Amino acid sequence: MAEVRDRNLPHQVQVHPQYRFDNTTGGGYGAKNYHSGPSTSQVLAVLTLLPIGGTLLALAGLTLAGTVIGLMLATPLFIIFSPVLVPAAIAIAMAVTGFLSSGAFGLTGLSSLSYVLNRLRYATGTEQLDLDHAKRRVQDMTEYVGQKTKEVGQKIENKAHEGQVGRT
């Protein structure tokens, strides 16, 4: 028989929030407004994309059919000329692989050198010198542009003054 003293202990009550998925007021997780239809932009998107998707799907089917028919017609030629085509295909594949791996190795090498140079510049502190040099050049260029602007303004003012003197 079960002991009676277990029933006298207080129990902990855990409360978990419950979300209603049919709530149409917009509150709670997963609540959706089922009474409104699709928006105008959604309808226009479907009306626009449906014919485009159908056309592309039809073109994909036609392309697949043409490829299968072409492969069926070309298979006898591949079999007859295989002593020539197989080595040619292998040579082309090796050449393409060589070009691609050469480019990959070149890019990897350049990026590695760039990384090493940037780390060396950072370690030696020359990047700060480069930054200071760039700031000086920008300041010099600003002063130069300001001076040129003043000179052009003076020339325009002199020309205007000469034009007024010539009229009187």
Side-chain angles (χ1 to χ4, degrees):
M1 196 159 175
E3 294 186 21
V4 178
R5 61 186 161 131
D6 286 343
R7 293 185 184 174
N8 294 332
L9 293 176
H11 295 285
Q12 292 180 347
V13 178
Q14 293 182 355
V15 179
H16 300 284
Q18 295 182 358
Y19 298 107
R20 290 185 48 161
F21 293 101
D22 61 346
N23 187 2
T24 59
T25 61
Y29 175 76
K32 293 183 180 178
N33 193 354
Y34 290 106
H35 297 294
S36 67
S39 67
T40 306
S41 62
Q42 290 173 336
V43 170
L44 287 176
V46 168
L47 289 177
T48 304
L49 294 177
L50 192 63
I52 293 173
T55 303
L56 291 175
L57 190 60
L59 285 173
L62 288 173
T63 304
L64 179 64
T67 303
V68 169
I69 290 171
L71 190 58
M72 286 174 37
L73 294 175
T75 300
L77 293 174
F78 285 148
I79 292 173
I80 291 170
F81 293 111
S82 65
V84 174
L85 292 177
V86 170
I90 292 172
I92 290 172
M94 289 176 64
V96 168
T97 304
F99 284 126
L100 291 178
S101 61
S102 170
F105 289 145
L107 285 175
T108 305
L110 285 175
S111 64
S112 298
L113 287 175
S114 173
Y115 175 78
V116 168
L117 287 175
N118 284 335
R119 294 300 294 175
L120 285 174
R121 286 176 60 193
Y122 180 74
T124 59
T126 58
E127 68 179 11
Q128 187 63 35
L129 296 175
D130 292 342
L131 187 61
D132 292 338
H133 180 69
K135 284 181 183 177
R136 272 195 310 274
R137 288 192 60 189
V138 168
Q139 288 173 349
D140 291 343
M141 185 57 70
T142 305
E143 290 174 8
Y144 175 75
V145 169
Q147 184 63 31
K148 280 295 188 184
T149 304
K150 286 180 185 177
E151 289 175 8
V152 169
Q154 284 291 339
K155 284 182 183 178
I156 292 173
E157 188 178 319
N158 290 339
K159 294 265 184 184
H161 183 66
E162 288 174 6
Q164 288 178 353
V165 170
R167 287 187 183 172
T168 57

